[in-house]
Amino acid sequence: MLPRLKVEPYYQTVCENKPVTLSCVVEEGTPQPVVIWIRSSDGTELVKSQSKDTKYRIDKVEKYHTGNYSCFATNAAGNVGKTVSLHVESKYKNYCN
């Protein structure tokens, strides 16, 4: 069965120096798919797992973390992906203090 994914959140704004966690949940798929998180801008593989809930965490975000991150699930039935947009605001913004 082709994997089905849910990512949370689809778009997130975070203040510099704060933590962020992106979650990719496998809702179905047989056999259990391999899940990877990649940074879309350069294709860097960040996390690889067979967990049903695969998370990518950045403990202290910086401006350069702004961008798209994609979660892909692959099994014998095929490959599916979802993308999350992350925006990092300056720590000097009023609501970041």
Side-chain angles (χ1 to χ4, degrees):
M1 177 184 290
L2 189 66
R4 188 175 70 193
L5 297 177
K6 180 173 87 172
V7 294
E8 292 181 351
Y10 279 109
Y11 182 84
Q12 186 164 359
T13 298
V14 181
C15 296
E16 274 184 300
N17 299 323
K18 301 291 182 186
V20 66
T21 301
L22 306 177
S23 177
C24 182
V25 177
V26 176
E27 295 183 320
E28 61 185 38
T30 306
Q32 179 66 35
V34 173
V35 178
I36 62 170
W37 274 105
I38 66 162
R39 185 174 35 240
S40 300
S41 63
D42 61 8
T44 300
E45 186 177 298
L46 305 165
V47 176
K48 185 174 186 177
S49 171
Q50 282 194 289
S51 170
K52 288 190 177 219
D53 186 4
T54 302
K55 297 184 184 319
Y56 174 55
R57 179 175 169 85
I58 304 170
D59 291 323
K60 191 175 178 183
V61 296
E62 302 294 336
K63 290 291 283 179
Y64 72 85
H65 288 114
T66 292
N68 292 328
Y69 294 82
S70 297
C71 173
F72 292 96
T74 304
N75 67 9
N79 181 30
V80 295
K82 298 271 185 171
T83 300
V84 173
S85 292
L86 178 65
H87 180 74
V88 180
E89 285 287 353
S90 169
K91 60 187 172 187
Y92 300 108
K93 291 271 188 176
N94 286 338
Y95 58 83
C96 287
N97 296 322

